[in-house]
């Protein structure tokens, strides 16, 4: 029997509530498919500050690096917002991603038929949307040096090297090969030198993937096109800051933030997490939607463990729960037949796996 080591970081706010539901579903699917998951839990974010004084303890980095993959909830909250920047939970998260070398953030934006009405866009615009945003995660302006704020002048630096662009580009082309074979590279090459290098490198790289159609779009146009006609996109590849903004836009195209998973992958390990934050406003009330985290667990099975059948079972169970009209409070106004708590949603999805 295959055994995988999974590191678990629950984090703050709703993190523990939603991760517990994902573990419930993982237990059901691993039992059904005949493999074993060993979980090891680590601290990060606000809870790590409270317990250890640091947002990212060394044992978390070492433990996650040893594991096959990491399932992550969310971190942060008002309680820690007044701390100096280097001690804040969010700084811990940036350092964590850097330490894990997870340079590619994959964010699928898929519309569930049952929730077409949850989008603010018209059904005919979004029906059938299936986009994969591939965002470079550990380079660009968030990490570039020099950076400074002296109270009068402040600046950050947007840097990409050719190897950094090549590795994220390869990821995008390889994903496109498994999908509709179209990559749209998003940049701002009309004004930024760093974007010109990005574009030139993508064009060079595309020679290795003759079956994939490569197009280019300026980021301002891409933001507009995502809302105007999202179905035109298959894979979008872009840098850190542009991807941050565009992936949030893409997620809103499909409705609730509580539905969308993500994977952050690199050469050492991978982190799977919902795209939303720790939602302190609803923490502890049992109303958080666990689907994004359960779907992230499904991506972990597919992309890190190669357990495709198990991942398909999770997708099918989520679709069935939504089809049967189960909704957490965030989606209660969209064709709900039964409004359920976070735990009940986990139970329903896990039961559908058990029953197949
Ligand atoms: P958020 O994503 O936590 O919440 C935004 C809104 O969406 C809130 O109204 C929240 O209630 C709702 N929401 C989020 N997830 C939900 C879910 N699963 N089910 C139902 N509703 C959900 O963003 P925010 O309010 O800007 O940030 C809150 C905290 O989270 C901050 O400390 C922020 O720094 C942190 N954060 C962490 C991550 C991360 O850990 N990766 C990402 C983003 C924000």
């Amino acid at each position: 029997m295959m055994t995988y080591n999974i590191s678990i970081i629950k984090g703050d706010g709703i993190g523990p509530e939603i991760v517990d539901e994902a573990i419930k579903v993982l237990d059901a699917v691993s039992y059904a498919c005949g493999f074993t998951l060993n979980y090891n839990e680590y601290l990060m974010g606000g809870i790590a500050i409270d317990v250890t004084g640091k947002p990212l303890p060394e044992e978390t980095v070492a433990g996650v690096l040893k594991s096959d993959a990491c399932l992550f909830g969310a971190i942060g909250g008002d309680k820690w917002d007044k701390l100096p920047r280097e001690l804040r939970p969010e700084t811990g998260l940036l350092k964590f991603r850097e330490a894990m070398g997870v340079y590619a953030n994959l964010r699928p934006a898929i519309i569930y038929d049952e929730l077409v009405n949850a989008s603010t866009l018209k059904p005919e615009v979004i029906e059938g949307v299936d986009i994969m945003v591939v965002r470079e995660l550990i380079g660009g302006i968030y990490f570039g040096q020099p950076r400074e704020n002296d109270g009068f002048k402040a600046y950050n630096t947007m840097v990409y090297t050719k190897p950094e662009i090549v590795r994220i580009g390869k990821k995008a082309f390889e994903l496109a090969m498994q999908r509709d074979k179209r990559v749209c590279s998003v940049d701002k090459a009309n004004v930024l030198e760093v974007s010109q290098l990005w574009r030139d490198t993508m064009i060079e790289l595309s020679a290795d993937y003759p079956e994939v159609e490569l197009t280019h779009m300026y980021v301002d146009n891409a933001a507009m096109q995502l809302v105007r006609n999202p179905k035109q996109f298959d894979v979008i590849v872009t840098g850190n800051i542009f991807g941050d903004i565009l992936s949030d836009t893409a997620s809103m195209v499909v409705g609730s933030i509580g539905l969308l998973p993500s994977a952050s992958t690199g050469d050492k390990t991978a982190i799977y997490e919902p795209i939303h934050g720790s939602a302190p406003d609803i923490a502890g009330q049992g109303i958080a939607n666990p689907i994004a985290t359960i779907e992230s667990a499904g991506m972990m099975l597919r992309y890190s463990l190669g357990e495709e059948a198990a991942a398909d079972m999770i997708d099918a169970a989520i679709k069935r729960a939504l089809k049967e009209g189960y909704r957490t409070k965030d989606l209660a106004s969209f064709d709900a037949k039964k409004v359920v708590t976070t735990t009940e949603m986990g139970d329903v999805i896990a039961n559908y796996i058990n029953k197949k």
Side-chain angles (χ1 to χ4, degrees):
M1 190 186 276
M2 279 302 289
T3 299
Y4 305 102
N5 289 314
I6 306 301
S7 42
I8 301 283
I9 298 177
K10 294 184 179 177
D12 310 314
I14 61 169
E17 301 167 51
I18 52 178
V19 171
D20 283 347
E21 297 318 306
I23 291 175
K24 189 187 282 175
V25 173
L26 280 173
D27 285 343
V29 84
S30 55
Y31 182 75
C33 294
F35 58 87
T36 306
L37 299 173
N38 282 337
Y39 306 111
N40 285 300
E41 203 175 321
Y42 299 98
L43 295 179
M44 217 191 104
I47 173 114
I49 296 170
D50 290 351
V51 175
T52 71
K54 296 179 200 170
L56 179 61
E58 286 82 14
E59 54 267 35
T60 299
V61 173
V64 176
L65 277 175
K66 273 194 290 182
S67 66
D68 293 307
C70 173
L71 183 65
F72 185 93
I75 50 99
D78 298 348
K79 182 177 169 193
W80 305 283
D81 276 354
K82 305 238 156 30
L83 289 170
R85 183 162 299 279
E86 67 279 8
L87 284 180
R88 299 242 302 253
E90 292 78 5
T91 305
L93 182 58
L94 285 182
K95 284 195 179 143
F96 179 60
R97 288 173 177 160
E98 201 178 12
M100 295 301 121
V102 285
Y103 58 84
N105 182 234
L106 317 186
R107 283 210 200 173
I110 297 172
I111 190 92
Y112 289 101
D113 291 345
E114 294 71 23
L115 293 175
V116 161
N117 292 325
S119 172
T120 49
L121 300 186
K122 292 185 188 129
E124 61 269 27
V125 175
I126 53 148
E127 252 156 1
V129 161
D130 181 357
I131 304 170
M132 179 69 87
V133 180
V134 180
R135 164 189 169 196
E136 201 291 326
L137 199 59
I138 55 171
I141 197 162
Y142 294 167
F143 292 90
Q145 296 291 344
R147 56 197 297 157
E148 177 78 65
N149 177 1
D150 66 10
F152 172 71
K153 187 172 77 181
Y155 52 88
N156 293 88
T157 313
M158 190 154 164
V159 192
Y160 272 115
T161 62
K162 200 159 177 172
E164 283 175 323
I165 304 169
V166 167
R167 69 181 180 182
I168 190 75
K170 276 187 176 166
K171 197 63 136 192
F173 280 105
E174 275 155 23
L175 278 163
M177 289 293 287
Q178 297 161 22
R179 297 171 46 98
D180 202 34
K181 300 192 172 61
R182 291 182 292 124
V183 170
C184 177
S185 170
V186 172
D187 61 38
K188 193 74 185 165
N190 47 346
V191 283
L192 297 175
E193 280 76 6
V194 61
S195 278
Q196 191 60 55
L197 179 67
W198 180 281
R199 189 175 282 217
D200 295 345
T201 307
M202 288 294 165
I203 292 169
E204 245 178 80
L205 192 60
S206 70
D208 297 340
Y209 302 88
E211 286 172 62
V212 179
E213 177 199 78
L214 172 68
T215 55
H216 306 274
M217 209 177 264
Y218 296 135
V219 62
D220 40 347
N221 187 28
M224 202 166 73
Q225 294 298 333
L226 265 175
V227 180
R228 193 185 71 83
N229 177 18
K231 274 185 260 191
Q232 70 184 286
F233 296 107
D234 177 25
V235 173
I236 293 177
V237 63
T238 189
N240 205 341
I241 189 167
F242 300 155
D244 196 359
I245 299 162
L246 291 184
S247 50
D248 271 19
T249 311
S251 65
M252 273 298 100
V253 165
V254 303
S256 168
I257 195 164
L259 290 173
L260 292 160
S262 78
S264 302
T265 72
D267 300 326
K268 300 183 224 170
T269 188
I271 308 164
Y272 295 85
E273 57 179 308
I275 70 155
H276 58 72
S278 57
D281 53 330
I282 58 165
Q285 297 175 33
I287 56 172
N289 188 341
I291 290 181
T293 316
I294 296 171
E295 195 55 60
S296 303
M299 285 184 87
M300 176 175 86
L301 297 176
R302 193 180 306 283
Y303 294 116
S304 279
L305 311 185
E307 295 287 352
E308 291 275 337
D312 288 346
M313 280 169 85
I314 292 185
D315 288 348
I318 292 172
K319 281 193 186 125
R320 185 161 165 201
L322 293 173
K323 197 164 183 204
E324 301 284 329
Y326 291 99
R327 304 278 186 271
T328 39
K329 199 178 161 206
D330 51 318
L331 295 171
S333 51
F334 302 105
D335 306 322
K337 293 206 183 77
K338 190 163 194 306
V339 178
V340 291
T341 64
T342 309
T343 316
E344 287 166 343
M345 184 58 103
D347 288 342
V348 168
I349 295 170
N351 277 336
Y352 284 153
I353 283 165
N354 290 335
K355 284 192 209 136
K356 294 239 177 87

